[in-house]
Amino acid sequence: MGRVKPLRCPKCGSEPASKTIFSCASCERILEVNVEVARLTRAEFQTMRESRDHSIWRWFEFFPVEDRGSIVSLGEGSTPLIHAARLGERLHIPNLYLKNDTVLPTGSLKDRSNSVGLSVAKELGFTTATVMSTGNAAASVAAYSAAAGLKSVVLVPKGTAPSKIIQARAYGATVIVVDGDFDYEVAKLYKAAIQEFGWYDCLSSNPYRDEGKKSYAYEFVDQLDGRIPDWVIHPTAGGTGIYAMWKGFKEFLSLGWIERTPKLVAAQSEAAAPIVAAFEKGLADIEPVVARETVAESIQVGNPVSLGWRALAALRESGGTAVALSDEEILEAQFLTGSLAGIFAEPAAATSIAAARKLRERGVIGRDDLVVCNLTGHGLKQPEAIRFSEKEFAPIAPTLEALREQIRCA
Ligand SMILES: Cc1ncc(COP(=O)(O)O)c(C=O)c1O
Ligand SMILES: [Zn+2]
């Protein structure tokens, strides 16, 4: 048997025979990928670091793909990890680093997941991939399906703004608008469609695609040249990022490639903060909430059913925490990130900055701590979140005098 072992239930240990069964028949938990990495040596680590391939696939040995020929890549990974001196100064965190995932191929962190997910889809012989989404996941699944040569079908709820789904269309997805509520009716149809048509599921209920965000951990170790962050803050919805980063760090730790791990922080919007609530109450599992409207649209998830409980465990094991932010705090963080660090992040992504600020104010983060904030989606994904007055863009006469007046008022 090769390095990719059968999927296994993390709760009861059962191992279904088929590679296409994603959840446990007895306890319903999402199964977990097991890739044998124990034989990897430090020399191999060095070879991976020095690879000319700067995509996540330089870490091929850690992903559940048997054959390199199956890889579906758009060059995702090795996104800049920037020392944000000016923003850090404002937040009183001189060692603040920003992981700029806004520059990923489709503009969000979902590309880390879908590169792995669609590579496995290709290996397993699927011909159609599907996802239900109102934004980032739809675009990413569509793009990677296009690259893989699979059809993609995206289910969105009625009322979704065309700007949210137009990117998926551009990559050739079939977009189906469903007259129903997202969390329940669309979700029910989505499940039924997968059963009926045998499509490849690209949600966090797919254990293969959930491995993709392990690449964050590998990249931090590489880019910080062995220094380990004290804190890594991740905008959190389904919990995949927290779960996967923790798994990635633990793999490196078990191989002796790092000596310690960072504390992980889940940043959520107050309007959809089931992970924060469960963390604060000391629960082992999530209590679903009805997500309210929030400017952080991409992380508006009330029931992170697949990986919420794993994320909770990761937060605790790492010694980290979870923080909820108001829309006002998020928009302020978005503005500071743009104007002091030169990165235009979507509001959901800026929750990591708002959380860093809050934890620093509370004294949880110390002045000298090395803090990494993941910026997980591009601001142009949701330009309407930026507030401006009509007056700001009202045309002026083409004279220096009018220009002087306008500058004075600005
Ligand atoms: C912009 C953005 N940030 C963060 C996330 C967080 O997802 P997760 O908690 O599954 O890593 C998502 C996806 O839902 C997203 O679209
Ligand atoms: Zn089980």
Side-chain angles (χ1 to χ4, degrees):
M1 188 175 288
R3 33 179 274 288
V4 184
K5 308 289 178 210
L7 296 175
R8 187 189 311 137
C9 176
K11 195 82 179 167
C12 72
S14 77
E15 287 182 0
S18 163
K19 288 182 166 185
T20 57
I21 294 175
F22 293 169
S23 61
C24 177
S26 37
C27 72
E28 290 179 13
R29 297 287 184 178
I30 302 304
L31 301 176
E32 187 176 0
V33 160
N34 288 287
V35 181
E36 185 60 61
V37 295
R39 66 191 157 73
L40 294 173
T41 63
R42 194 165 265 281
E44 281 163 297
F45 177 43
Q46 219 35 50
T47 308
M48 292 175 203
R49 287 191 71 189
E50 286 163 12
S51 168
R52 289 186 59 195
D53 177 2
H54 287 273
S55 77
I56 61 170
W57 295 100
R58 66 159 72 186
W59 314 106
F60 174 80
E61 300 293 342
F62 292 89
F63 292 125
V65 175
E66 307 270 5
D67 176 5
R68 284 184 188 267
S70 311
I71 290 175
V72 181
S73 177
L74 293 168
E76 59 296 312
S78 297
T79 52
L81 182 64
I82 296 159
H83 179 216
R86 292 189 69 219
L87 180 59
E89 192 180 323
R90 172 67 75 92
L91 303 188
H92 308 289
I93 307 172
N95 293 317
L96 177 66
Y97 285 76
L98 307 181
K99 183 64 169 162
N100 186 7
D101 265 10
T102 72
V103 302
L104 282 171
T106 72
S108 90
L109 82 171
K110 300 282 182 189
D111 296 344
R112 293 182 185 273
S113 307
N114 290 312
S115 180
V116 177
L118 267 299
S119 298
V120 177
K122 200 170 143 187
E123 201 155 74
L124 296 176
F126 281 89
T127 54
T128 302
T130 188
V131 74
M132 59 170 219
S133 162
T134 54
N136 290 335
S140 182
V141 168
Y144 281 85
S145 298
L150 271 73
K151 292 196 185 77
S152 60
V153 180
V154 175
L155 302 191
V156 302
K158 184 176 156 191
T160 303
S163 62
K164 292 264 176 299
I165 42 180
I166 225 86
Q167 196 186 358
R169 260 278 305 284
Y171 299 127
T174 302
V175 178
I176 310 284
V177 182
V178 183
D179 187 2
D181 140 272
F182 187 69
D183 280 330
Y184 297 96
E185 286 153 317
V186 183
K188 198 167 157 211
L189 176 63
Y190 178 76
K191 257 187 153 170
I194 286 170
Q195 289 284 327
E196 178 71 18
F197 305 116
W199 293 337
Y200 184 72
D201 173 9
C202 293
L203 280 184
S204 55
S205 36
N206 175 333
Y208 302 113
R209 68 73 111 172
D210 293 338
E211 293 288 290
K213 292 181 196 170
K214 292 195 302 189
S215 55
Y216 274 125
Y218 312 150
E219 290 181 18
F220 295 147
V221 175
D222 177 44
Q223 291 175 310
L224 290 168
D225 226 357
R227 278 183 300 160
I228 301 297
D230 295 296
W231 303 90
V232 177
I233 309 181
H234 186 71
T236 297
T240 323
I242 294 288
Y243 154 79
M245 283 194 294
W246 187 235
K247 187 169 178 183
F249 277 116
K250 281 202 304 188
E251 285 169 337
F252 272 24
L253 189 69
S254 71
L255 289 166
W257 295 356
I258 54 174
E259 277 163 15
R260 64 182 190 93
T261 50
K263 296 188 255 297
L264 303 184
V265 179
Q268 298 203 288
S269 159
E270 275 175 5
I275 293 181
V276 178
F279 183 85
E280 287 175 351
K281 286 188 198 165
L283 303 177
D285 220 331
I286 304 291
E287 289 175 336
V289 300
V290 176
R292 287 176 279 117
E293 293 272 298
T294 168
V295 70
E297 285 173 0
S298 300
I299 54 169
Q300 191 183 352
V301 171
N303 186 12
V305 65
S306 301
L307 288 173
W309 69 286
R310 303 295 311 268
L312 267 177
L315 293 176
R316 292 194 178 111
E317 264 182 69
S318 77
T321 188
V323 193
L325 293 315
S326 69
D327 276 9
E328 203 182 318
E329 290 168 323
I330 294 167
L331 288 173
E332 168 94 15
Q334 182 190 35
F335 175 72
L336 291 177
T337 307
S339 58
L340 295 176
I343 298 174
F344 184 23
E346 66 171 288
T351 55
S352 60
I353 303 296
R357 187 183 201 181
K358 193 166 239 180
L359 291 173
R360 179 71 191 99
E361 279 166 8
R362 288 180 184 164
V364 177
I365 288 179
R367 188 177 165 82
D368 296 326
D369 289 354
L370 197 166
V371 179
V372 173
C373 288
N374 289 345
L375 293 176
T376 48
H378 202 290
L380 288 174
K381 292 274 196 170
Q382 198 189 332
E384 64 282 359
I386 306 296
R387 294 176 191 153
F388 59 89
S389 69
E390 290 294 321
K391 212 174 139 235
E392 232 178 299
F393 295 133
I396 62 161
T399 66
L400 266 180
E401 199 183 7
L403 178 58
R404 210 172 273 124
E405 174 63 12
Q406 189 78 356
I407 291 167
R408 201 178 57 75
C409 297

